[in-house]
Amino acid sequence: ERAMPNPNCQRLFDRARELGVGFYLGYAELTEDGQRFNTAITVGPDGAILGKYRKVHLPGSVEPRPGNRYQQLEKRYFQYGDGGFQAFRGAQEWGAPIMGMLICNDRRWPEAWRCYALQGMELMVLGYNSAAYDPNGGDAENLEIRTFHSILSAQANAYFNATFAVAVAKAGVEDGAGLIGGSVIVDPNGMILAQAKTLEDEIIIAACDFEKCMQGKGPGKIFDFGFHRRPQHYGRIVEQAGVEPIA
Amino acid sequence: ERAMPNPNCQRLFDRARELGVGFYLGYAELTEDGQRFNTAITVGPDGAILGKYRKVHLPGSVEPRPGNRYQQLEKRYFQYGDGGFQAFRGAQEWGAPIMGMLICNDRRWPEAWRCYALQGMELMVLGYNSAAYDPNGGDAENLEIRTFHSILSAQANAYFNATFAVAVAKAGVEDGAGLIGGSVIVDPNGMILAQAKTLEDEIIIAACDFEKCMQGKGPGKIFDFGFHRRPQHYGRIVEQAGVEPIA
């Protein structure tokens, strides 16, 4: 997509605005200078784009892996997101929560959630298209463990960051390959408020009282970051990308 | 404790060595210059101290909180650990895994686990004395959610870092206050291999094949840190302790 909205998806924007419904939309972005990003936007109930995010954690590889039935080639077709993790305000109608966005594999990386939480995040929204097979483990479908990992990531990172989180799957079979479900809405305690139960289309709903985030990270609380974090000991997280093993 | 071992616990060291059993031991450390740390050591089956860790994430407050039935005063009685997160080698008899140690509240901080994982951690060991009441939420006992948070922290951080983890509770009632149980041994997929079921003394056992860590973080895998991490976007994690909220 060269612009958002554009004629191909204008009807989505129009219909959502008629209904007063906001949404998160993921798409393949093509910039004027020819860069391609895996991108998502959050759109308010008035149709305004409130936040935009380009995926930072691209899984897979640049080159196809010989002999693999399935290929995971995000590193081939997209550039790494160049904007980092910029929190933004949700719509007034939603209580104007401080929001973050991630895309798919990003949700497994606690660094990403923390960078948003350090801006006061109260609501994370993310979408995922996660294969039901293990992209690193061969052909075997393993819906159960892949769904477990997806929900575990949402619950734990919501808890660690005392934020609501909405993680939405594109479930079912696409081009003959299975995708996991497991969409969840999670509260700042990491508890599941609503969960999709099938691999079909579903709607899940939960009311989110953003005041509850302060029970986890308000002044003096267990996740009062400024009171308890010790960043002088976290240097490796930014000083090295990979493992520097001990002797 | 001014030294470890010392006459008060020498019998523990002697008996463990007779049996060829290693152990993790938490204690209050008093240094020669009068500093006090919440400290843990890992002892090999030959009685040698393999690793030592001083707790970084002290919960609670310096001053008692008026009107609270329970007080959490670790910040009053201990200095913050000054050694960071230094991985070490476990005993040859254990397969010489790269190990990390944490203490109690540390396990809720993904930064701590990641700093060890960036040194190749294959086995995390940690102990906790976690109150069954919410130290930030008043007097109400809430064994269920506190145990959920404890197990969630172990499972998620083991998964995110593709490491085995052993998290051990001091369970039951002490000085009239309840402590949670929920000791677990978790594999690099975040799956529970063994779990204590009561608030009484229990032994839980699991065989740990450290090769399995590479299924998560070996070359080209989903958590191949050097291939997938993007530390240029993680700056906030070390540049700010607390929240810098957006406008």
Side-chain angles (χ1 to χ4, degrees):
Chain A
E1 312 292 338
R2 293 173 180 272
M4 192 58 68
N6 62 50
N8 290 322
C9 61
Q10 186 62 52
R11 285 192 302 170
L12 168 65
F13 280 71
D14 292 345
R15 182 67 176 144
R17 189 173 50 197
E18 282 172 30
L19 297 171
V21 171
F23 58 94
Y24 166 110
L25 179 65
Y27 61 100
E29 178 186 10
L30 178 60
T31 67
E32 286 191 10
D33 61 353
Q35 297 189 84
R36 293 160 196 273
F37 295 103
N38 191 343
T39 297
I41 53 174
T42 293
V43 179
D46 61 352
I49 294 176
L50 301 172
K52 177 176 175 177
Y53 169 72
R54 291 170 170 169
K55 187 174 182 179
V56 166
H57 297 97
L58 300 179
S61 55
V62 175
E63 298 300 328
R65 297 182 181 182
N68 275 22
R69 179 170 161 215
Y70 299 111
Q71 300 289 340
Q72 168 50 285
L73 295 169
E74 275 195 53
K75 286 187 196 290
R76 183 179 192 87
Y77 294 112
F78 293 105
Q79 271 92 44
Y80 289 104
D82 56 358
F85 310 102
Q86 304 300 329
F88 59 97
R89 283 273 175 198
Q92 288 294 332
E93 293 89 332
W94 308 337
I98 301 176
M99 295 183 61
M101 277 191 287
L102 292 175
I103 299 174
C104 198
N105 175 60
D106 282 316
R107 72 197 185 285
R108 310 180 199 274
W109 296 88
E111 293 92 339
W113 294 72
R114 188 66 105 215
C115 287
Y116 282 122
L118 287 168
Q119 299 165 74
M121 175 171 61
E122 298 163 299
L123 174 60
M124 168 68 85
V125 291
L126 66 90
Y128 57 91
N129 304 353
S130 292
Y133 65 91
D134 178 352
N136 295 316
D139 288 354
E141 294 238 349
N142 197 330
L143 188 64
E144 189 178 344
I145 196 167
R146 296 273 292 167
T147 307
F148 164 71
H149 286 160
S150 183
I151 295 174
L152 179 67
S153 298
Q155 288 189 276
N157 284 308
Y159 168 60
F160 296 150
N161 296 288
T163 182
F164 286 88
V166 180
V168 177
K170 181 179 183 187
V173 175
E174 183 172 274
D175 293 341
L179 298 170
I180 66 170
S183 297
V184 285
I185 304 171
V186 179
D187 78 8
N189 263 319
M191 307 292 276
I192 295 172
L193 298 175
Q195 179 174 351
K197 300 297 183 193
T198 73
L199 297 179
E200 307 299 320
D201 289 343
E202 286 186 54
I203 294 173
I204 60 174
I205 297 172
C208 298
D209 174 1
F210 298 112
E211 294 288 322
K212 288 189 177 163
C213 299
M214 288 301 106
Q215 292 178 13
K217 58 187 173 187
K221 300 292 189 181
I222 194 166
F223 295 132
D224 176 348
F225 295 145
F227 194 37
H228 297 306
R229 293 182 79 249
R230 306 291 294 164
Q232 61 269 53
H233 297 299
Y234 307 153
R236 289 182 187 276
I237 292 171
V238 297
E239 289 161 10
Q240 54 185 91
V243 172
E244 293 181 3
I246 64 167
Chain B
E1 313 293 339
R2 293 173 181 273
M4 193 56 69
N6 62 50
N8 290 323
C9 62
Q10 187 62 52
R11 285 192 302 171
L12 169 64
F13 281 70
D14 292 345
R15 184 66 176 145
R17 190 172 50 197
E18 283 172 28
L19 297 171
V21 172
F23 58 94
Y24 166 110
L25 179 64
Y27 61 99
E29 177 186 10
L30 179 60
T31 68
E32 286 190 11
D33 62 354
Q35 297 189 84
R36 295 160 195 272
F37 296 103
N38 191 344
T39 298
I41 53 174
T42 293
V43 179
D46 62 351
I49 294 175
L50 301 172
K52 177 176 174 177
Y53 169 73
R54 291 171 169 168
K55 186 174 183 179
V56 167
H57 297 98
L58 300 178
S61 55
V62 175
E63 298 300 328
R65 296 182 181 184
N68 276 22
R69 178 170 162 214
Y70 299 111
Q71 299 290 340
Q72 167 51 284
L73 295 170
E74 275 194 53
K75 286 186 196 290
R76 183 180 191 87
Y77 293 112
F78 292 105
Q79 271 92 45
Y80 290 103
D82 56 358
F85 309 102
Q86 304 300 326
F88 59 96
R89 282 272 175 200
Q92 288 295 331
E93 294 89 333
W94 307 339
I98 300 176
M99 295 183 61
M101 277 190 290
L102 292 174
I103 298 174
C104 199
N105 175 59
D106 282 316
R107 72 198 186 285
R108 310 180 200 273
W109 296 88
E111 293 93 338
W113 294 72
R114 188 66 107 216
C115 286
Y116 282 122
L118 287 168
Q119 300 166 76
M121 176 171 61
E122 297 163 299
L123 174 61
M124 168 67 84
V125 290
L126 66 90
Y128 57 90
N129 304 353
S130 292
Y133 64 92
D134 178 352
N136 294 316
D139 288 354
E141 294 238 349
N142 197 331
L143 188 64
E144 189 178 346
I145 195 166
R146 296 273 292 167
T147 307
F148 164 71
H149 285 161
S150 184
I151 294 174
L152 179 66
S153 298
Q155 289 189 276
N157 284 308
Y159 168 60
F160 296 150
N161 296 288
T163 182
F164 286 88
V166 180
V168 177
K170 180 179 184 188
V173 175
E174 183 172 273
D175 293 340
L179 298 170
I180 66 168
S183 297
V184 285
I185 305 171
V186 179
D187 79 7
N189 262 320
M191 307 291 277
I192 295 173
L193 299 175
Q195 179 174 350
K197 300 297 183 193
T198 74
L199 297 179
E200 308 297 320
D201 289 342
E202 287 185 55
I203 294 174
I204 60 173
I205 296 173
C208 297
D209 175 1
F210 298 113
E211 294 289 321
K212 288 189 177 162
C213 299
M214 288 300 106
Q215 292 178 15
K217 59 188 172 186
K221 300 293 189 182
I222 194 167
F223 294 132
D224 175 348
F225 295 145
F227 194 39
H228 296 307
R229 292 182 80 248
R230 305 292 291 164
Q232 61 269 51
H233 297 299
Y234 307 153
R236 288 181 188 277
I237 291 171
V238 297
E239 289 160 10
Q240 55 186 90
V243 172
E244 293 182 4
I246 65 168

